[in-house]
Amino acid sequence: MAQLEIGAETFGDIALDDSGQLESHADALRNVVNEGILADQVGLDFFGVGEHHRDDMAVSAPEIVLAAIASRTENIHLGTAVTVLSSDDPVRLYQRFATLDAISNGRAEIIAGRGSFIESFPLFGYNLQNYEQLFEEKLDLLAKLVTGEPVTWSGETRTPLRDQTVYPLLENAPIKTWVGVGGSPQSVVRAARHNLPLTLAIIGGNPLSFEGLTRLYRRSLQEFGHAEQPISAHLHGLVTETDEEVFDLMWPHYQFYRSRIGQERGWPEASQMELRAALAENGHMLAGSPETVARKMVRVVKGLGLSRIDIKYSQGTLPHSYLMKSLELLGTKVKPMVLDMLSED
């Protein structure tokens, strides 16, 4: 079995600056680049940047941010978390990632998903009534494009392609492309049908409750006649020096971010009990001291049979300095602990 990979992800959340004011989008983007550089320096395996089109998240063009990071890093793999494929053009997406793959010497990855926000649909002229069809057809086309081979494809959401070569040509085909899913069995089966690796977005509840989806995915791969594929998971979290400090550090920023999303979606107000449940042993956040985060990671990795586990370390308005410390601890403390624990079995 290949060694577990450990990664970090961010949405470029607009954080507080040193004066206690919300930083600019430009500052947030520059901070993400510096965070990606640090992630490489401390030995993390993957750095993912989410795509959003909102005022509280700065990254709307992740490939450009990743290209900036690629030019200043050596080893870390770079990808999206996620690319909102339903409102993108798969051909242009392939071209951007083929370019990133060349710039990074083969370190580019795509995590394609539908996303949990809908702002991109009206922004780019797509109808939400076509939500399912857009993703299904575009994933079908993308799965063909990332092989680097000439593509023949037809559907209803864009013009057909006939034996079409798309440039630039890949130096290292294919581009590794994951399908990001929430809790939908249909999405898991779709990923297996297209023979693409699976990324689970675990943003609530007990992470081990996703074990049924991993079994469904592996069984579906077999039924479609495909070989085994890797499974990764994305969980929110934050690594701190001690367990005692994590709640007080996270709460005001969690409350601000969660309350805003809750108002948009009709959820009840954020509560301290909710955050404490997320931080508990069976909760969905990988947060606390390096020892606590490492133990929880191992539990999730073993329970779900993961090849990679990523922490979404940006936490709403939490300042950049704390994010840098979290990345440092994740690479220098948590990763070695996790690998040692797994090697003992």
Side-chain angles (χ1 to χ4, degrees):
M1 180 178 177
Q3 179 172 284
L4 175 75
E5 294 181 348
I6 295 177
E9 298 176 355
T10 179
F11 298 162
D13 307 32
I14 303 299
L16 296 176
D17 61 20
D18 294 338
S19 67
Q21 302 299 310
L22 289 174
E23 65 189 354
S24 69
H25 286 85
D27 281 335
L29 290 167
R30 288 188 284 264
N31 285 340
V32 169
V33 172
N34 288 327
E35 290 157 15
I37 293 167
L38 178 62
D40 182 58
Q41 292 172 344
V42 299
L44 294 175
D45 301 294
F46 176 75
F47 189 76
V49 178
E51 174 198 347
H52 294 85
H53 304 272
R54 301 168 50 87
D55 65 347
D56 54 353
M57 299 175 194
V59 181
S60 60
E63 301 89 348
I64 296 177
V65 178
L66 295 170
I69 297 169
S71 70
R72 299 174 63 186
T73 55
E74 297 290 337
N75 301 306
I76 197 164
H77 281 229
L78 302 166
T80 46
V82 298
T83 288
V84 185
L85 180 59
S86 306
S87 56
D88 208 335
D89 176 21
V91 174
R92 293 295 288 140
L93 178 62
Y94 162 82
Q95 291 178 321
R96 298 194 303 267
F97 268 91
T99 302
L100 176 63
D101 202 54
I103 291 170
S104 65
N105 290 309
R107 293 184 282 136
E109 298 187 12
I110 302 170
I111 303 179
R114 292 183 287 185
S116 59
F117 296 89
I118 61 172
E119 290 86 357
S120 63
F121 285 82
L123 183 63
F124 299 122
Y126 290 97
N127 191 329
L128 275 170
Q129 292 182 344
N130 300 326
Y131 189 81
E132 285 290 338
Q133 182 186 27
L134 284 166
F135 187 73
E136 175 57 51
E137 288 198 1
K138 291 186 178 192
L139 183 63
D140 183 51
L141 176 53
L142 182 65
K144 294 176 169 62
L145 289 163
V146 296
T147 66
E149 299 296 324
V151 170
T152 296
W153 179 92
S154 64
E156 297 179 6
T157 55
R158 60 153 291 142
T159 54
L161 301 174
R162 183 175 180 82
D163 199 27
Q164 178 71 55
T165 300
V166 182
Y167 304 100
L169 299 177
L170 293 174
E171 187 174 44
N172 302 289
I175 299 174
K176 190 167 189 177
T177 302
W178 307 72
V179 178
V181 306
S184 165
Q186 293 85 353
S187 296
V188 169
V189 173
R190 180 189 289 120
R193 186 172 74 250
H194 288 289
N195 196 24
L196 294 172
L198 181 72
T199 293
L200 297 169
I202 301 176
I203 58 175
N206 185 339
L208 297 192
S209 66
F210 282 72
E211 192 270 337
L213 293 180
T214 62
R215 280 190 286 108
L216 173 63
Y217 175 66
R218 293 186 173 101
R219 185 173 72 247
S220 298
L221 283 172
Q222 291 180 339
E223 291 175 356
F224 287 122
H226 300 317
E228 186 175 339
Q229 289 279 9
I231 301 174
S232 71
H234 143 120
L235 298 87
H236 289 220
L238 186 76
V239 190
T240 52
E241 292 281 2
T242 66
D243 290 328
E244 290 72 24
E245 67 189 290
V246 68
F247 178 85
D248 289 340
L249 180 60
M250 289 183 65
W251 168 246
H253 310 284
Y254 174 87
Q255 182 186 32
F256 178 86
Y257 177 78
R258 164 65 178 76
S259 295
R260 176 171 179 178
I261 301 299
Q263 288 174 359
E264 295 173 0
R265 301 185 180 187
W267 298 344
E269 283 292 314
S271 69
Q272 292 192 6
M273 184 181 298
E274 176 182 285
L275 178 57
R276 292 191 186 280
L279 297 174
E281 182 179 356
N282 294 329
H284 69 274
M285 281 195 176
L286 299 172
S289 68
E291 295 82 1
T292 294
V293 173
R295 286 196 300 270
K296 199 166 184 178
M297 270 193 173
V298 169
R299 175 174 168 270
V300 175
V301 166
K302 288 182 176 179
L304 301 182
L306 302 179
S307 299
R308 186 170 80 202
I309 187 166
D310 300 331
I311 288 185
K312 192 269 184 181
Y313 65 91
S314 56
Q315 293 295 326
T317 53
L318 186 67
H320 169 65
S321 59
Y322 293 102
L323 307 185
M324 294 289 274
K325 185 62 177 180
S326 181
L327 287 168
E328 178 188 348
L329 292 171
L330 181 60
T332 62
K333 300 292 186 181
V334 175
K335 182 180 175 181
M337 287 183 192
V338 169
L339 297 182
D340 283 347
M341 291 178 193
L342 291 174
S343 70
E344 293 172 358
D345 295 335

